[in-house]
Amino acid sequence: MPEISEIEKRFGNKLRVRVCGILIENDCVLLVRHKGLGEKGVLWSPPGGGVEYGFSIQDNLIREFEEETGLVVEIGDFLYATEFLNKPLHAIELFYEVKKVSGILKKGFDPELTENNQIIEEVSMKDFDQLKKMNQLELHRILRSITKASELLNRQGFLNF
């Protein structure tokens, strides 16, 4: 498990802006399993990450997708925003629909963390029946109680859970 101090040092105790992508293929959603995050120490969430100064939202999302999943994506419509608050982590998250352009799905690497403290454990496509069977506290809040892709893609505005 990564040292909490490194997660806090890199990401904690400040408000961050994150950009995330919803990739749906064959009625499955692409998710990343992170260790050491979330209410239960495991967090399944759509790929994404912090917005770096000087780069557009779209460029940040393309970079994050490639780092975390090995995939090159095309950015589609803005879907919604939400707030992630699980102290010491706090972020405003912007969600976009994305389409795969190229690449082979693989577990990526977070360049902001050292090799011994990586938090990405798995990257995989999950169908909505699998999501229903998972521990809901291990899912990002946008994924909880979702039963089909349209429920994930058709939300709008600022989602406050």
Side-chain angles (χ1 to χ4, degrees):
M1 185 162 183
E3 294 178 22
I4 296 299
S5 60
E6 184 169 0
I7 292 172
E8 286 185 37
K9 179 181 168 189
R10 299 281 181 190
F11 309 119
N13 301 305
K14 60 187 168 193
L15 179 63
R16 298 177 67 221
V17 176
R18 296 183 75 249
V19 62
C20 306
I22 305 291
L23 179 99
I24 306 282
E25 287 185 348
N26 302 317
D27 208 33
C28 294
V29 61
L30 178 59
L31 298 178
V32 177
R33 180 184 170 168
H34 299 89
K35 64 180 174 181
L37 299 178
E39 298 168 54
K40 293 288 189 179
V42 171
L43 182 65
W44 285 94
S45 66
V51 173
E52 291 183 12
Y53 175 80
F55 296 92
S56 71
I57 295 290
Q58 291 81 5
D59 288 343
N60 276 282
L61 185 52
I62 289 166
R63 182 199 71 245
E64 288 290 340
F65 243 84
E66 193 161 6
E67 287 173 357
E68 291 187 4
T69 71
L71 300 179
V72 176
V73 294
E74 176 181 280
I75 311 302
D77 291 334
F78 173 72
L79 298 172
Y80 40 81
T82 189
E83 181 178 37
F84 180 88
L85 179 56
N86 189 319
K87 292 182 181 179
L89 303 178
H90 189 187
I92 300 299
E93 297 176 312
L94 309 172
F95 287 87
Y96 286 81
E97 185 174 10
V98 299
K99 302 282 185 208
K100 177 183 168 184
V101 173
S102 64
I104 297 172
L105 186 61
K106 65 179 182 177
K107 181 178 92 163
F109 185 85
D110 190 329
E112 295 175 297
L113 297 172
T114 61
E115 188 174 336
N116 294 334
N117 288 306
Q118 290 295 301
I119 60 175
I120 297 173
E121 287 192 311
E122 182 182 342
V123 177
S124 62
M125 301 297 292
K126 299 289 184 190
D127 68 37
F128 293 90
D129 286 335
Q130 289 174 301
L131 288 182
K132 285 189 272 187
K133 295 173 185 170
M134 294 170 74
N135 182 332
Q136 296 294 292
L137 295 177
E138 292 181 353
L139 295 175
H140 188 290
R141 289 191 169 144
I142 66 160
L143 301 167
R144 295 178 186 176
S145 303
I146 293 291
T147 61
K148 55 189 171 185
S150 62
E151 292 175 1
L152 192 56
L153 295 172
N154 292 334
R155 292 175 163 177
Q156 295 179 342
F158 183 79
L159 307 178
N160 190 7
F161 298 101

